[in-house]
Structures are given as structure tokens and as C-alpha cells.
Amino acid sequence: HCDTGVVFNDPAGMRTAYYYLDAEGNAWLGTQPGLFQHQFIMNISPEGASYMGSARFVEKLETWWPGKSSPFTGVYHLHPNHYFDLKAKRPARYWPVTPFKRVPLEEGVRIAAKTIKGMMASARKRFPLAVSLSSGLDSRMVFAGCRDVADDVFIVSMMYRHLTPESDDVRVPSEMARSLDLDHHIIDARVDMTSEFAEVYSANTTGIKDDWGKMVYSRYEHVPQNYVILKGTGSEIVRCRYWPLGVYPYRVALRDLVNLAYLGNDPLVISSFREWMKEALPTEKLGYKLLDMFSWENEVGNWYALGQVVNDLSHQDFAPISNRRLINAMLGVHPKFRSYPEHVMERRITAYLWSDLAKFPYTPSRK
């Protein structure tokens, strides 16, 4: 019932927020759209039903909602870098407000490394830590920040979908842990949920089509319940996600956003991205790339943030990359150091923090 102040979330939008104005004009906020269905009588909107029935939605294993849309009429997602004004009862962008700043590679690496290390030391003072470790860049960079407390970290790797003990994301973490004389826990996440857990999972994932339930359930069963799990989620913001070779296109059009998101051509997708693009274009005048903002506020803020919400059914997740100082430093580094194929910046950050981890290959089987 507060009518002053603002509501905002973390920089990457990992802590999702949705808003709704009821018939009396009162503002309601919640972490996921299904919660509003418990409070109000709501049906899936015609636009939402059309999107959920589209060919791409049906065929994709993991789906997400574009822009600020949700399955329900009047329930909207609050983008990262925006706040909800409780007095005006509408969202507004609060970042960026100053010109984009270039950062030399070594300075960016130093700032990012020290920020990650400081966050890990601070986090460890608050709660016991687990880390979800794969053979990729992001989780290793986060784990490297735990060097001083590594003996106390619960290291876990998940076997899900097609993965086996010989897969990169299981084998490489095992080799790293063994060489450093650290315990490593492999969890088989291909086990079905119990009916009780599946009921709770379904009630908290309205409008989502995925197969994450087995992973969440396996975490719930095998990771100690008082641990907070470290994740590398959010690095897509700084790694030239939609211009992967570090060469920016001459012009970005609405159709490019639709094609890059790979959500299909449903009217909801097109209208959502059109509205977002119109609102986000002024950030280019400050030197930011529209495609970076698109990855940040749509892909990470919508898709990857869904994983954070779903995982909350098992444990609290902590994504250190969702830190504005860290994002600014990494985003400011020249694109050639943060793009495919080498992702030099992330490798350098890991080596700066823990050189032993940098010696192991990254996803060696990937072609």
C-alpha cells in the first residue's frame, strides 16, 4: 500500500519483478507472473495464448517471454536498469545516464578480478558456499574468486540431459578438483521429480516451457540445504552475445532482434521487441551498443533470470556478475577481448585470480 518510492532489482535482473495495476489502480508486484493468478482471477491473454501456441514456442526446449510481456493481460516484467515508480505507477529507465567509458584490458581484468574476489570473501562470511562448476568460462571465473576459501566450498557438477561422466562439463571439473585436492560432487540430474515436488515446481513456473525440474529437484536432494550456490549467470551481457566476433553491424533493425532472439515471428514477439527497441535506442547516444543492451535486458533479464527464479525452489543462487561495477569494467573492455572465439578477458580474469585453474581446457570437445 506504499504510494511513494521506487522498486528496482539487481543490475542483471536475476531477481525478477513483475507489476500489475488492479481495477482500483493499486500497484501489485511479484517475482513471477503466476503469483498474480493466485491473487486475482486471470486467464491467459489472447496474445499470450497465440505465442504459446506458435511453432517456435512448441518446438523450443527452453522458452522465454519477450520484452515486458507475460502470459496475462496487464502483468508486465520490469526490465533490468529500470525501476517501478510507486507514485506514478509506471516503470522508468534509470541507467545508463553517463557516457560509455572505455577501459584498457588489464585495468578491466584487475577491476573485475578484485571485485569478484571481494564479493566471494564477503559472501563466505555470511553463508556456506557451493559452486556449480562446468568446463565453461563463467563458472570457472566465479570459482577462481573463491581461491582463499576453496576448501570450504561445496563443488558440484550436474549430469543432465545428454551428459555423462565423460562429458566436458563433468570430466574437466573433476580433473580440476582432483589436481587441487578438493572434493567434487557429481549429481545425476536425470532423475524424475517426485509428484509432490513436481506439483510445487509447476505452480511456480507459469508460462514457462522447460526441462529444468529434474535439475532443481536433484539440487534439492543432494546439495546441503543451508548452502548458497554460486553461478556464472549473466556474463552474456559482456561477451558480445549477439555480435560474437566483436564486429558490430552497420545497422540494427527490428527484424534483426527478432531473428537473433530465436523466439519466432509471433505478433507478441515483434510488438514486444519493437516497444523495447524504441525505449532503448537513446542509450546508443551515450555510447552503448543496442545489441549489448538487448542481451542484457531481454535475454539475461528474461531467459536467464527465469532459471534463477526456478532454482529458488531448491536453494538461493548468487550470481556475482550481477554487479554494476563489474559489468561496467568488463563491458568497457575492447570487443576483441570479450568476444568469440577466445574470450580473452574472462580467461585473463580467471588466471589473475587462480592461475592453476587457467591451465585446464575450456569445453575441449566443442567444435
Side-chain angles (χ1 to χ4, degrees), residues 14-225:
M14 294 290 102
R15 296 296 166 195
T16 55
Y18 288 81
Y19 58 92
Y20 172 73
L21 299 181
D22 65 20
E24 285 75 41
N26 300 309
W28 295 75
L29 292 107
T31 56
Q32 55 103 357
L35 294 175
F36 297 91
Q37 197 175 25
H38 295 302
Q39 182 69 28
F40 305 96
I41 299 175
M42 287 185 173
N43 296 314
I44 302 295
S45 68
E47 297 82 6
S50 172
Y51 174 54
M52 294 173 72
S54 65
R56 188 62 56 82
F57 189 98
V58 172
E59 74 181 8
K60 277 178 69 68
L61 183 60
E62 298 178 7
T63 56
W64 47 282
W65 288 79
K68 67 178 187 180
S69 68
S70 85
F72 306 108
T73 301
V75 177
Y76 300 109
H77 178 235
L78 184 66
H79 284 299
N81 302 319
H82 293 68
Y83 63 76
F84 185 82
D85 189 321
L86 291 168
K87 184 175 182 179
K89 299 178 181 177
R90 64 172 181 264
R93 178 180 291 277
Y94 68 85
W95 195 91
V97 293
T98 57
F100 180 80
K101 182 183 177 182
R102 283 282 183 204
V103 179
L105 173 62
E106 295 308 321
E107 181 182 352
V109 168
R110 178 182 56 81
I111 293 173
K114 290 188 174 181
T115 302
I116 293 173
K117 182 177 180 180
M119 282 193 289
M120 295 301 95
S122 180
R124 182 62 190 88
K125 291 179 180 179
R126 289 167 168 80
F127 31 71
L129 299 175
V131 63
S132 180
L133 190 60
S134 71
S135 63
L137 292 156
D138 311 326
S139 64
R140 194 180 310 186
M141 181 176 67
V142 169
F143 180 52
C146 299
R147 179 177 181 176
D148 294 342
V149 296
D151 288 339
D152 295 329
V153 176
F154 189 91
I155 305 170
V156 60
S157 297
M158 310 282 284
M159 282 196 302
Y160 61 96
R161 294 178 186 162
H162 61 279
L163 298 185
T164 70
E166 297 305 313
S167 299
D168 289 349
D169 285 340
V170 180
R171 178 178 54 81
V172 174
S174 294
E175 293 173 355
M176 286 192 288
R178 186 164 53 249
S179 71
L180 298 169
D181 197 25
L182 298 172
D183 292 333
H184 178 236
H185 306 270
I186 300 175
I187 295 177
D188 189 342
R190 300 167 296 184
V191 179
D192 289 336
M193 296 180 280
T194 63
S195 58
E196 293 83 2
F197 194 91
E199 183 178 354
V200 175
Y201 181 87
S202 177
N204 284 272
T205 55
T206 307
I208 301 174
K209 175 173 170 285
D210 63 81
D211 67 341
W212 298 335
K214 294 180 180 180
M215 290 178 264
V216 179
Y217 175 67
S218 297
R219 288 183 8 154
Y220 177 79
E221 286 290 304
H222 298 290
V223 178
Q225 275 298 303

Side-chain angles (χ1 to χ4, degrees), residues 44 255 303 311 332 342:
I44 302 295
R255 65 176 177 274
W303 183 14
N311 281 328
E342 296 299 327

